[in-house]
Amino acid sequence: MSNRLVILDTETTGMNQESGPHFQGHRIIEIGCVEVVNRKLTGNTFHVYINPEMPIDPEAIAVHGITDEQVKDCPKFAEIAQEFAEFLDGSEMIAHNAPFDVGFMDHEFGMLGDGWKSTEELCKVTDSLKIAKDKFPGQKNNLDALCRRLGIDNSHRELHGALLDAEILADVYLLMTGGQTSLILSDDDLEGGEAAGRIKRHTDAMQGLPLVTLSDEELSEHEAFLDMLDKKSGGNCAWRQELVEAE
């Protein structure tokens, strides 16, 4: 398995049927990718808006807010295909409901003619929706529901957007695959997601924090607090036990 993950989301002109005579030929209009190496976000992203060369369905605009006018001067897929393929190459691509994104991507690559690899030839494909369904059976597992369940703040997500959704999915995927993160078992236990811990991304600016030395008075107050805890717990103060074990 590759240590380099590419968390991906796409926005499109509309919904395609999987195959057959009802395939409508809808196109990708936005691609957002976030790079994760050794389970850490690197800050490296791939993000582009694309001229789909066809009208965007009103129903799709209601979801992502991207209009024909906004993308009319954007590059066509053929113009960004090489850079996009290179960004994916050799990675493990994570997408929520991956068959949807892969179907559109393979449609776009296929329209370029011979010599272009399919998505699964470029990278390993992992469907985070399948992971969520296995981990939380019988529950809603769309991105918003998972954010509520895992305590991820997505209040800024008023409309779908490929890069924003990829960033949110990166947090969701890392929490889902990183072991237990909360004792919350269902959406009913949540109050707006506040009950669970929040993800905090630390930057270099967070390093080198000053070491604070406690005064004698502060140390005395701390010991008095531990005495109180020790008395209330019948001699089982966890902090005192840890100190004894450390010695």
Side-chain angles (χ1 to χ4, degrees), residues 157-208:
R157 187 186 186 236
E158 295 180 3
L159 292 171
H160 289 250
L163 185 60
L164 173 60
D165 284 3
E167 291 173 344
I168 293 172
L169 179 57
D171 289 341
V172 166
Y173 174 81
L174 291 172
L175 274 175
M176 285 199 304
T177 59
Q180 181 176 331
T181 58
S182 170
L183 295 178
I184 295 171
L185 301 179
S186 72
D187 292 339
D188 295 337
D189 298 321
L190 296 168
E191 295 181 3
E194 295 298 327
R198 298 295 187 204
I199 290 178
K200 302 295 183 185
R201 292 181 182 166
H202 298 286
T203 64
D204 291 341
M206 296 289 291
Q207 298 175 3

Side-chain angles (χ1 to χ4, degrees), residues 131-152:
I131 295 173
K133 287 180 177 180
D134 290 342
K135 191 173 181 67
F136 307 111
Q139 301 184 48
K140 291 181 179 179
N141 287 301
N142 59 39
L143 209 52
D144 286 335
L146 289 169
C147 284
R148 290 194 299 271
R149 190 173 306 137
L150 298 172
I152 296 170

